[in-house]
Amino acid sequence: MSAFTDRVDTALADRNLKIAVERTAGTAEAKRTIAVEAFPDFERARDRAAAIKDHVIANLGLYLERFEANAVAAGAKVHWARTADEACEIVIGICKAANARSVARSKSMLGEEIGLPHALEAAGITRIETDLAEHIIQLADERPSHIIWPAMHKTREQVSVLFKAKHRDPHQEETIAAMAESARRHLREGMLAADVGISGANFLVADSGAVCTVTNEGNAELSLVPPRVHIVTAGIEKIVPSMGHAVHMLRMLSRSATGAALSQYTTFYTGPRRPGDRDGPEEMHIVLVDNGRTMMRETGLAKMLRCIRCGACMNHCVVFRQIGGHAYGATYPGPMGAVLTPAFDGLAKNRDLPNACTLNGKCQEVCPVRIPLPTLLRGWREKSWREGLEPTSLRAGLGTWAWFARRPALYRAATASTLRAMRLMGRGGWLSKLPLAGAWTEHRDMPKPAAQSFMAQYKKGRRS
Amino acid sequence: MTPTPPRVALFVTCLVDMIRPQIGFAAIRALEAAGCEVVVPDAQTCCGQPALNSGDRDTAADLAKRAIAMLEPFDHVVIPSGSCAATVRVHYPEILEHDAEWGPRAIALAARTFEILAYLDEVRGWKPEGVALDATGTYHDSCSGLRELGIKRQPRRLLAAVEGLSLAPLAGAETCCGFGGTFCVKYPAISNAIVAEKATAIDATGADLLLAGDLGCLMNMAGKLNREGSKVRAFHAVELLAGMGDGPAIGEEA
C-alpha cells in the first residue's frame, strides 16, 4: 500500500470529515453556480482571465522587473528567492534584523508551500496565525486541508470542543457567534503585539508595485498595518500588469471560490508608511519566490501558472469530496494540487496524485482561468510511465492487453476464452467474486459477460 | 429521389463486445432505422483509451493509427460510448499532433466520428417511431460525453420520443459515478465511496430504470445497485430507443 492509499483509507473511515467537507464544498458549489449564472457572459470573462495570465507568464521577466521598480519607488524592498529554503532564510533574516519576537501571519498558501511556519518556529520566533481557519489549525497542531478553508475538514462541533480546551475562556462556545467572538479576543491580542506582519499576495500589480490581499475577516489588515515591519512572500506568477487586470481577476477569484461577488476585504498595499501617514509599517519587504515555477513554465506546465488559487477545482472534485485535502499529503490538494505537487515535490513520491483522478473533467469545467487540468494530469501519467514509476502489474496487464489489441484474430480468441472462464464464476446474471478483479467485486457486482461476444454473434449472422 | 444512405462504421467498444452485445445490436437497429448502411469493421479491437489514460502514449498512438486506417473508408464512424467517441474525436488528433502523416488523418477521422446518441439526434435528426415502454427512467450524464462532446440534450430528446417513458431528474446527474476506466480498480476504496453516493441518488429518484450512454459507467452503477439490493434496472439508452427495453437489463439473465 502506498502512503497515499493509507491516507485515503483513514479519510474514508472518518465520518466527520465527510460531513465537514460536504457542508463547505457543497455550499460553495451551490453559491458559485448562482454567482456564475448572474455574471454577464462568464465564458468570455474566463477567456479574458486566461489570456491575461498567459500574457503575463509569457512575459514574466518584463512584468517582474516593472513590479520591482515600482515597488522600490514606493519604498518597499524587493528580495528574490529561487527556492523554498532561500525564501525562508530571507524572511527569518528580516525578522532577526528587526529584533522581532513575534509575528502575525495572514493566511498564505505560498507560506505553507515554502514551510515558513516551521522555519519561524525553528528560529525561535513566536507565530500567530490570524486567519480564523489557520488559527483553528494552529490550535489543533494540524496542516491546512484546503486552500480557501484550511480547516474545512473540521465540523463546527469539533471546533467548539477545541476552542473550549485551548481558549480557556469562561464562555460557552457553542454558537458560531460565540466561537468567533472568542477567537477575535485571542487573535487581536496577538495582532497588536506582533513586531512583524507576514502575508502572501493574491496579486502583484506591476504598474504600481502594489500587493493585493483578499480576506473575508479583515485579519490581513489587522496583521499587517500595526506591526513595524510587513513582509510579503509571493510566487512570481502572481503578477498582473495593472489594477484593471487585478480587478478582473478578483471578480473571477471570489465568485469561483465562494460564490461571492467580492470578498469582504480587498486591500492593496503600496510601500510602507509615508511621512505624514498615521499608521502603517516602517518597512515593507516583498520576497518574490520561484520555487520551481520557472521550471514549470519550461516543462509543459505553463498553463498551470494561470492558477489563481480559488479552490473551485477541489470544491467540485468528486475525489476531493470523498477524501478531503489531507489525503493528498501536500500543501495544495485537489486537482490543482495533483498537478502542482509532483512539480514541487517530485513525481516518484507523488505518482498516486495524478492517477487518483477519474478524468471526468469537472475541474476544468469550473476553472475560472481554463486550466486544462485533465490534460496536465495525463501529462504526469505519461512521464510516470516513461520513467518506469507505474506499478509492474499495471504495465504487464496493459502490455498483454495491448499485444492482443494489435492482433484482432488472437484478440477474438482470447476474448472468447475469457468470457467462458468468467461465465463459469457467475451466479444468476452477476459475478460477485472474480479472481484478479477483487478491486471491483469487493464493492460491487459485475454483470456476467455474454456467452458470445458481439463480434462472434455478428459474424454468425445476427444483425439486430 | 432518396438520398444515398451514409455508410456508417459501427465501432462497438471492447466492453460492449464482451459484456453486453445487445448494445451493439440495438445500435445497428437504430442506425438502420435512421437510414444508415451499417458496417461492422472486422479488425476492430479497442480504441486505446486505457493506454492513453494510463500514460502509455506510444501504445495509444499505435492503436490510434490502426483504428484510423480501419475506419477511414467510411462516411461516418459511430460509437455507442461517449468516452470511446471522445478518444477518437478529441484525443487521436492530440496524440498524433506532431505526426505529419497521421496527424491530418486523425483530424479528418475525428470530424466524421460520433457518439451514437448525438449522431442519431443531431446528424440524422432521427426519432424512434412506434417505440413504447411504460416506465420511469432516470438519466446519468457520463463525463466524457458530457464534457468532451457536449452530449446533454440529445439523449433526453430521443428518450422523450419513447411512448410511455417518463424521465425523473437525477440529483447530481452530471457528477462522475467513480468508474473512470482503470481508476475504479486502481483506487477501489475511493471509487466505491463515489458510486455508493451515486447509487443512493439513483434510488432516491424512484425510477425503474437507470439510463446512460456508456457501458463502463453503467456497469459500475448497476453493479453497485445490485450489491445494495436495489430494484433499479440499468440499460444503455440506445437499447430503449431500439425497442429493446423490454429485454433483460444489465445483469439479468436472458
Side-chain angles (χ1 to χ4, degrees):
Chain A
M1 255 199 180
S2 66
F4 173 75
T5 48
D6 279 343
R7 292 193 298 268
V8 164
D9 286 346
T10 306
L12 290 175
D14 183 348
R15 292 189 60 82
N16 267 320
L17 173 68
K18 177 70 184 157
I19 294 166
V21 170
E22 265 325 294
R23 275 182 191 166
T24 309
T27 306
E29 182 180 10
K31 284 189 173 171
R32 177 199 168 273
T33 304
I34 294 165
V36 165
E37 278 168 7
F39 194 103
D41 210 347
F42 190 67
E43 294 310 309
R44 263 189 62 199
R46 290 172 76 197
D47 290 339
R48 178 160 182 240
I52 290 169
K53 291 295 294 192
D54 281 353
H55 172 76
V56 163
I57 300 308
N59 301 280
L60 199 53
L62 172 82
Y63 285 110
L64 284 169
E65 280 170 26
R66 194 171 290 177
F67 173 80
E68 180 180 32
N70 287 318
V72 168
K77 290 200 173 79
V78 175
H79 311 257
W80 299 85
R82 274 168 302 182
T83 64
D85 287 348
E86 262 184 40
C88 289
E89 274 168 34
I90 293 167
V91 173
I92 304 292
I94 298 165
C95 290
K96 287 194 169 155
N99 289 319
R101 278 167 309 174
S102 73
V103 305
R105 216 168 73 96
S106 168
K107 183 173 88 74
S108 146
M109 292 316 294
L110 189 275
E112 299 291 331
E113 175 192 320
I114 60 176
L116 190 53
H118 178 74
L120 288 165
E121 197 183 315
I125 298 168
T126 306
R127 162 180 65 98
I128 172 168
E129 296 291 343
T130 66
D131 175 270
L132 177 58
E134 289 279 354
H135 171 61
I136 293 166
I137 295 296
Q138 188 174 26
L139 290 183
D141 196 19
E142 291 178 5
R143 296 184 60 184
S145 69
H146 190 287
I147 62 171
I148 301 288
W149 302 281
M152 76 126 50
H153 57 285
K154 287 196 176 309
T155 61
R156 62 173 169 268
E157 293 82 356
Q158 289 173 313
V159 174
S160 168
V161 172
L162 181 72
F163 276 13
K164 277 182 192 166
K166 301 279 182 167
H167 282 171
R168 298 178 186 282
D169 282 351
H171 306 272
Q172 286 303 307
E173 290 149 348
E174 289 292 352
T175 66
I176 289 173
M179 286 196 276
E181 189 51 43
S182 171
R184 189 175 284 129
R185 277 194 302 276
H186 280 257
L187 291 175
R188 288 203 169 163
E189 257 174 51
M191 289 170 181
L192 296 174
D195 302 304
V196 173
I198 302 181
S199 71
N202 288 90
F203 301 101
L204 304 168
V205 186
D207 72 354
S208 61
V211 172
C212 175
T213 70
V214 168
T215 75
N216 280 318
E217 299 161 22
N219 63 301
E221 290 72 9
L222 267 178
S223 311
L224 306 179
V225 175
R228 287 181 282 119
V229 177
H230 175 192
I231 306 173
V232 178
T233 57
I236 52 175
E237 86 287 8
K238 289 282 180 177
I239 205 121
V240 289
S242 72
M243 183 66 90
H245 296 104
V247 170
H248 183 76
M249 302 311 285
L250 280 165
R251 299 180 76 200
M252 306 305 287
L253 173 66
S254 49
R255 280 175 177 83
S256 301
T258 62
L262 263 187
S263 53
Q264 305 288 336
Y265 298 86
T266 303
T267 305
F268 292 83
Y269 303 85
T270 315
R273 175 199 298 223
R274 272 159 285 244
D277 283 354
R278 293 182 57 184
D279 52 21
E282 293 156 20
E283 293 172 29
M284 182 185 188
H285 297 266
I286 303 167
V287 186
L288 297 172
V289 183
D290 184 325
N291 197 31
R293 285 160 175 77
T294 304
M295 179 274 288
M296 283 170 61
R297 195 173 74 140
E298 289 154 7
T299 54
L301 289 174
K303 285 182 180 160
M304 194 61 220
L305 294 172
R306 288 180 187 165
C307 181
I308 56 172
R309 309 289 193 260
C310 70
C313 60
M314 55 198 77
N315 295 341
H316 291 76
C317 172
V318 71
V319 172
F320 180 93
R321 291 277 277 263
Q322 293 298 341
I323 66 176
H326 283 155
Y328 291 81
T331 302
Y332 303 104
M336 55 84 90
V339 175
L340 285 174
T341 304
F344 290 152
D345 187 40
L347 179 59
K349 263 199 287 179
N350 296 290
R351 67 152 287 278
D352 274 302
L353 299 184
N355 273 294
C357 159
T358 68
L359 297 175
N360 66 72
K362 184 71 187 179
C363 50
Q364 183 175 348
E365 184 184 290
V366 298
C367 177
V369 286
R370 296 197 193 281
I371 299 172
L373 290 154
T375 305
L376 300 180
L377 291 168
R378 271 198 196 89
W380 279 127
R381 293 183 187 189
E382 277 173 42
K383 190 164 162 50
S384 183
W385 187 275
R386 279 200 309 276
E387 294 181 359
L389 302 174
E390 294 300 295
T392 324
S393 55
L394 176 74
R395 296 182 75 90
L398 265 176
T400 309
W401 163 85
W403 190 89
F404 280 108
R406 290 187 182 100
R407 294 164 179 81
L410 293 175
Y411 178 89
R412 306 261 173 268
T415 303
S417 57
T418 306
L419 295 185
R420 269 196 303 278
M422 280 175 78
R423 284 181 64 82
L424 288 177
M425 285 170 272
R427 182 181 294 175
W430 295 95
L431 311 169
S432 51
K433 252 195 195 141
L434 265 179
L436 305 176
W440 179 284
T441 51
E442 186 184 343
H443 301 292
R444 37 185 142 24
D445 298 326
M446 167 85 82
K448 194 155 125 181
Q452 281 191 320
S453 72
F454 172 87
M455 293 304 285
Q457 295 184 47
Y458 184 81
K459 273 193 185 166
K460 283 186 184 159
R462 182 172 167 194
R463 286 293 177 270
S464 69
Chain B
M1 201 181 98
T2 326
T4 320
R7 269 188 94 231
V8 171
L10 179 67
F11 194 99
V12 294
T13 87
C14 28
L15 285 182
V16 169
D17 183 43
M18 288 197 283
I19 307 290
R20 196 157 172 86
Q22 291 100 304
I23 295 170
F25 292 111
I28 294 175
R29 200 185 274 198
L31 287 168
E32 287 181 349
C36 305
E37 180 197 338
V38 182
V39 180
V40 179
D42 191 40
Q44 61 178 287
T45 56
C46 173
C47 67
Q49 190 188 152
L52 173 68
N53 289 343
S54 297
D56 184 0
R57 204 181 175 88
D58 293 342
T59 298
D62 187 29
L63 291 173
K65 289 176 194 171
R66 285 166 187 279
I68 291 166
M70 173 184 75
L71 297 170
E72 261 173 345
F74 299 93
D75 296 326
H76 296 140
V77 175
V78 174
I79 309 180
S81 154
S83 74
C84 307
T87 299
V88 180
R89 275 185 72 106
V90 179
H91 298 292
Y92 280 9
E94 282 172 7
I95 299 169
L96 299 167
E97 193 184 352
H98 302 294
D99 189 313
E101 187 204 339
W102 290 94
R105 293 171 73 178
I107 292 169
L109 181 71
R112 300 200 308 277
T113 300
F114 303 90
E115 185 274 343
I116 190 156
L117 303 172
Y119 183 74
L120 291 169
D121 179 69
E122 281 181 356
V123 182
R124 302 303 298 166
W126 177 77
K127 283 213 174 1
E129 276 172 32
V131 177
L133 189 72
D134 194 16
T136 302
T138 196
Y139 191 84
H140 162 79
D141 296 277
S142 292
C143 303
S144 297
L146 176 70
R147 300 201 178 88
E148 294 186 296
L149 303 176
I151 296 169
K152 176 84 188 163
R153 301 206 324 267
Q154 305 91 325
R156 289 174 173 81
R157 271 198 299 253
L158 289 166
L159 289 165
V162 175
E163 268 176 60
L165 178 72
S166 59
L167 277 191
L170 171 61
E174 295 186 12
T175 303
C176 175
C177 74
F179 174 64
T182 51
F183 170 82
C184 65
V185 286
K186 283 191 206 160
Y187 300 95
I190 309 174
S191 177
N192 176 53
I194 298 170
V195 74
E197 265 178 37
K198 182 58 91 172
T200 305
I202 293 165
D203 263 330
T205 64
D208 317 303
L209 308 178
L210 167 66
L211 305 169
D214 268 86
L215 183 56
C217 319
L218 279 163
M219 282 169 59
N220 184 42
M221 294 182 289
K224 188 65 183 174
L225 287 164
N226 191 63
R227 179 66 62 93
E228 307 266 304
S230 166
K231 297 286 170 234
V232 178
R233 305 164 71 225
F235 286 93
H236 191 291
V238 82
E239 295 182 71
L240 260 63
L241 299 173
M244 291 161 69
D246 53 358
I250 291 172
E252 289 174 3
E253 291 219 272

